[in-house]
Amino acid sequence: DVPSLYVEAGERLGGWVSQQRMYRKKGLMANSRERRLDELGFTWDVIDANWEKNFELIRAYAARKGHANVPARYEEDGEKVGSWLRRQRACYAARDMSEAERRRKRISPLSDEQVRRLEEA
């Protein structure tokens, strides 16, 4: 992914990338442009991509260790996997919270699909 403030050859590439995501989300992007960016492996949803990356690291850990009880400070490939997993547990708990409590704690619940995948890991 390209950081939002990244500059390449004097051009604000990070801002341009963010703008492309916004155009697509709002339905303002031409299909041909979307296809061209897809061909480059463009990441449309950074949050989802980050979730997938960390999930794969958890799966790899579980395959090596025989469990997914990752230590809280565990890091792999530059990712704070232990912190990420702790956050996922909090997001799981948020499923039982009221919307007001979620807003107050600034937390979103895991989807059923995310819960299923984490339980299978």
Side-chain angles (χ1 to χ4, degrees), residues 86-102:
R86 186 174 58 244
R87 179 72 176 167
Q88 299 317 296
R89 289 180 178 127
C91 290
Y92 179 82
R95 292 165 57 97
D96 294 329
M97 295 177 191
S98 69
E99 187 63 33
E101 187 176 5
R102 287 182 200 151

Side-chain angles (χ1 to χ4, degrees), residues 12-25 29 42 44:
R12 296 182 350 202
L13 183 61
W16 182 85
V17 165
S18 296
Q19 193 173 42
Q20 301 316 299
R21 289 183 179 124
M22 181 197 61
Y23 287 154
R24 181 177 180 255
K25 188 174 186 174
M29 178 173 281
F42 194 86
W44 294 107

Side-chain angles (χ1 to χ4, degrees), residues 3 5 7 16 18 29 39 43 46 56-57 60 66 82 86 90 97-99 102 105 111 116 120-121:
L5 299 177
V7 175
W16 182 85
S18 296
M29 178 173 281
E39 289 169 4
T43 301
V46 178
E56 288 304 322
L57 292 170
R86 186 174 58 244
M97 295 177 191
S98 69
E99 187 63 33
R102 287 182 200 151
K105 292 184 176 187
S111 69
R116 182 190 62 75
E120 289 176 357

Side-chain angles (χ1 to χ4, degrees), residues 18-71:
S18 296
Q19 193 173 42
Q20 301 316 299
R21 289 183 179 124
M22 181 197 61
Y23 287 154
R24 181 177 180 255
K25 188 174 186 174
K26 291 184 175 187
L28 301 174
M29 178 173 281
N31 291 337
S32 61
R33 285 189 178 187
E34 184 175 345
R35 269 193 309 277
R36 289 173 65 194
L37 289 168
D38 282 339
E39 289 169 4
L40 294 174
F42 194 86
T43 301
W44 294 107
D45 188 331
V46 178
I47 293 170
D48 186 52
N50 184 56
W51 196 94
E52 291 296 332
K53 180 178 183 178
N54 280 283
F55 175 75
E56 288 304 322
L57 292 170
I58 293 290
R59 284 184 51 185
Y61 181 94
R64 283 193 312 274
K65 302 286 187 173
H67 63 81
N69 297 321
V70 178

